[in-house]
Each structure stands twice: as C-alpha cells, then as structure tokens.
Amino acid sequence: MDAVVREHQRTAYAAFLSALHEYERAVDTREARAEQQLIDAGASGTDAELMLRTLELTAAISIDEVLKASVLVELQGPEPVAEAARRAVVAFADHHHSAVPNRWRREPPRRTAARILQLQEALFPAQNAFTMAARAELNRGSSQPRRWRVRAQTQDSPESTPPPAP
C-alpha cells in the first residue's frame, strides 16, 4: 500500500513540477517571441511596442495546467508538500494575473512591466521550495531499499544478501 501511495504522490508532484516548468519556459521566451512577432508584422519595434506585446504574451500564458496539477498535490499531501504547492500557485498566479489587462488598474505599461519582473523573481524560489518539499517527502525513510530495512534481521536470510550485480 505504501508503494502505491508513494507512486501516486510522485506522479502528482511530477505533473505539478512539469506545469511550473512549462509556465516558466513560456515566461522566459515571451520577449523573444514578442520581438519576432513585431518583426513579422513589420512594426517599427520600439521599446514601447515591445513592452506592450510582451505584456500581452505574458497575459496569454495559461496558468490552467498549474492550477489543475496543484489539485492532485493537495489531495496527495502531506501538508508540508501541499503548503509548498499552494505557495507556488500563489506566486505563479500573482505573476500571471498582474499581466492580465485590468480596466481598474490604470497604470503605464512600464510600471506593469516592472511589477511583473518583480513578481517573476518569486517564481524560481517558489518552485524550488516545492521541489525540496516533494523530494523530502519522496525520500523520507528511504536511505536504503525498503526490503533491506525490514528483512535484514538475520544474516542467513536471502533478503540480507545483496542482489547480484547486473
């Protein structure tokens, strides 16, 4: 039973981490994509145009996979891993939603871009905290194979001798 639970946890953690990586990858390439799109459109490519297109691309990055994958982590737990996932979701959602056009937020694009860059700095630490929590949970009590810990009580038992080298 423990192995089944651990495998479900590993799958949930990996899906969440993969979603975080995909979002970050899209964030990391958005400026280059914005520049290429402006070139393809024949625009002059001023700094202001590039900034606006970059903001549009940032707002267009979907956070749905991050949210979907976080639900499984919440269900699988344990609490320290779920809490690290919640913090990562907040960091990634804050970054995403700060770029979404908001008719009540009347600020110049330069200020919006500065805020997004500041929020972007929180993405890696949040992702790293989740990774560390997930790793700690998956490696908890597994410094050696389980069958060795449980059955290595007698020197004559087959479980106490190492398997042949491949």
Side-chain angles (χ1 to χ4, degrees):
M1 178 76 145
D2 188 39
V4 172
V5 169
R6 191 165 301 281
E7 187 57 35
H8 286 291
Q9 286 175 327
R10 180 180 282 100
T11 301
Y13 301 169
F16 183 64
L17 194 55
S18 180
L20 295 178
H21 281 296
E22 278 302 310
Y23 182 88
E24 267 195 320
R25 197 173 357 262
V27 166
D28 289 345
T29 62
R30 74 188 187 277
E31 191 169 329
R33 287 184 293 135
E35 192 171 355
Q36 187 59 52
Q37 288 175 2
L38 289 174
I39 290 169
D40 292 346
S44 61
T46 65
D47 285 347
E49 287 176 321
L50 180 60
M51 187 181 316
L52 285 173
R53 187 62 192 137
T54 301
L55 287 175
E56 290 169 357
L57 289 176
T58 303
I61 298 170
S62 176
I63 195 149
D64 292 349
E65 291 303 313
V66 170
L67 298 175
K68 217 170 22 173
S70 72
V71 172
L72 290 175
V73 175
E74 286 279 340
L75 290 173
Q76 291 296 327
E79 187 54 32
V81 178
E83 178 60 29
R86 283 190 290 273
R87 287 188 183 131
V89 166
V90 167
F92 280 68
D94 283 352
H95 179 268
H96 171 73
H97 291 297
S98 69
V100 174
N102 183 335
R103 66 178 183 215
W104 296 285
R105 185 188 321 135
R106 300 199 188 274
E107 65 183 9
R110 189 170 301 284
R111 186 176 297 158
T112 302
R115 186 178 61 254
I116 289 171
L117 285 175
Q118 184 178 21
L119 290 168
Q120 187 174 334
E121 291 176 9
L123 299 182
F124 179 75
Q127 177 182 314
N128 194 46
F130 170 76
T131 301
M132 300 297 279
R135 185 181 302 142
E137 174 58 25
L138 292 174
N139 292 330
R140 184 174 44 90
S142 66
S143 60
Q144 51 180 260
R146 188 161 187 69
R147 65 187 173 103
W148 287 64
R149 285 194 320 266
V150 174
R151 304 213 175 162
Q153 296 169 350
T154 66
Q155 212 161 357
D156 300 332
S157 72
E159 291 83 9
S160 65
T161 57

